[in-house]
Amino acid sequence: FYTESFANGRRSMDALPSILLGVPLYRGQSIAVSRYQSNQWIGLGHFLSDAGYHTSFFHGAVKGTMYFDAIAALAGIEDFYPLERFPEELRREAFDGHWGLFDEEVLQYAVRQVGTFREPWFATMFTISTHHPYRLPPKYADSLPKGSREIHASVAYTDLAVRRFFEVARTQPWFENTLFVITGDHTPPMRSPRYDTPLGRYMVPTLLYHPGGQLPTLDASRVVQHVDLFPTILDYAGVQPTRIPRFGHSLFSDAP
């Protein structure tokens, strides 16, 4: 778990190009809505597909939301799962009335679906329940801690959803061989003195987890940013192309 970890933007559509394309926010504009959106990009999906990986992206919102489908396509992700591709029963029973499907249902569907893909595979799962208006499933409305701000109960809900994701994941045959990367796309408005600063407004958690223990010793105090995840994932997968964005550095490398 990296304690000094930073997003390269302030919106969801800023985070995905940083992570999947290795390119940070440029002049305050995400690639997805910039004049460069029609350029030819080489992303994680392209490199991993060339190495034999099946690539997918799960996002329980309507296709087109926040340009995620376009960003995934730019990055070479071959199998995109928007709201429309989830089972009809889930779409009917787990819709939050605003953004899309609640986190628990999205993660439960995704954790089982990846097991049907050919191995090796690379999957991205984007949760949405911690976005405004912070809707909660009625069955958890009275049982989750409320906290001191409107967002806190939804964070507790996403924590529950991730915990249940791992309860299922650890029963799967691929679990021990999988590198999990967990991060936040961006921060919400904060009142804490530590985070309500020009630097603090970009601080997000980043966690690397390998159940099989196949991680080298890493420096948890190292300064980490979203664009570092692009070369980190390629490095761990043993994919070493000669042409990749040079904004980030693999966390498995000793280079500064």
Side-chain angles (χ1 to χ4, degrees):
F1 177 75
Y2 291 95
T3 58
E4 304 296 328
S5 171
F6 298 88
N8 291 118
R10 295 278 290 146
R11 299 174 301 173
S12 302
M13 70 171 68
D14 304 335
L16 288 189
S18 299
I19 297 169
L20 298 179
L21 291 164
V23 180
L25 186 68
Y26 177 68
R27 293 188 175 181
Q29 195 171 42
S30 172
I31 286 174
V33 293
S34 74
R35 68 177 68 181
Y36 306 107
Q37 62 176 268
S38 60
N39 284 19
Q40 182 178 2
W41 295 91
I42 304 176
L44 264 178
H46 295 108
F47 289 126
L48 292 173
S49 292
D50 288 346
Y53 280 74
H54 177 279
T55 59
S56 61
F57 191 113
F58 294 84
H59 180 216
V62 174
K63 186 177 181 180
T65 301
M66 295 187 285
Y67 301 96
F68 278 11
D69 56 327
I71 297 169
L74 289 178
I77 303 297
E78 57 188 297
D79 213 359
F80 188 80
Y81 283 81
L83 174 70
E84 293 89 339
R85 285 192 68 183
F86 282 76
E88 183 178 351
E89 182 180 1
L90 274 185
R91 301 201 307 267
R92 183 173 61 252
E93 297 180 359
F95 184 64
D96 68 4
H98 185 79
W99 279 106
L101 302 180
F102 287 115
D103 289 351
E104 184 179 11
E105 282 77 9
V106 169
L107 293 178
Q108 288 297 307
Y109 177 75
V111 74
R112 290 174 170 85
Q113 190 66 18
V114 294
T116 69
F117 300 152
R118 72 174 189 275
E119 293 187 2
W121 47 257
F122 166 78
T124 301
M125 302 171 191
F126 189 93
T127 59
I128 63 176
S129 295
T130 50
H131 281 71
H132 188 272
Y134 314 122
R135 298 274 173 81
L136 298 175
K139 62 183 177 181
Y140 296 124
D142 299 322
S143 60
L144 292 169
K146 296 292 189 288
S148 59
R149 299 193 57 213
E150 188 179 15
I151 191 176
H152 287 167
S154 69
V155 172
Y157 167 65
T158 297
D159 181 69
L160 178 150
V162 172
R163 189 182 321 129
R164 294 192 170 164
F165 166 87
F166 277 101
E167 287 173 358
V168 174
R170 65 171 170 252
T171 67
Q172 305 302 306
W174 45 261
F175 182 65
E176 293 287 325
N177 302 320
T178 302
L179 172 66
F180 296 90
V181 181
I182 301 175
T183 189
D185 54 345
H186 61 84
T187 60
M190 303 294 285
R191 294 175 184 167
S192 163
R194 181 184 182 194
Y195 297 110
D196 191 19
T197 65
L199 186 65
R201 293 183 193 116
Y202 288 84
M203 294 190 76
V204 293
T206 295
L207 172 70
L208 302 185
Y209 171 53
H210 195 293
Q214 302 301 313
L215 288 180
T217 300
L218 300 174
D219 180 6
S221 65
R222 178 176 179 167
V223 175
V224 173
Q225 56 183 326
H226 275 161
V227 291
D228 291 330
L229 298 179
F230 184 103
T232 297
I233 292 168
L234 291 181
D235 191 0
Y236 189 78
V239 178
Q240 298 180 328
T242 56
R243 293 180 58 207
I244 63 171
R246 297 302 179 186
F247 294 105
H249 300 275
S250 170
L251 302 180
F252 300 117
S253 168
D254 292 330

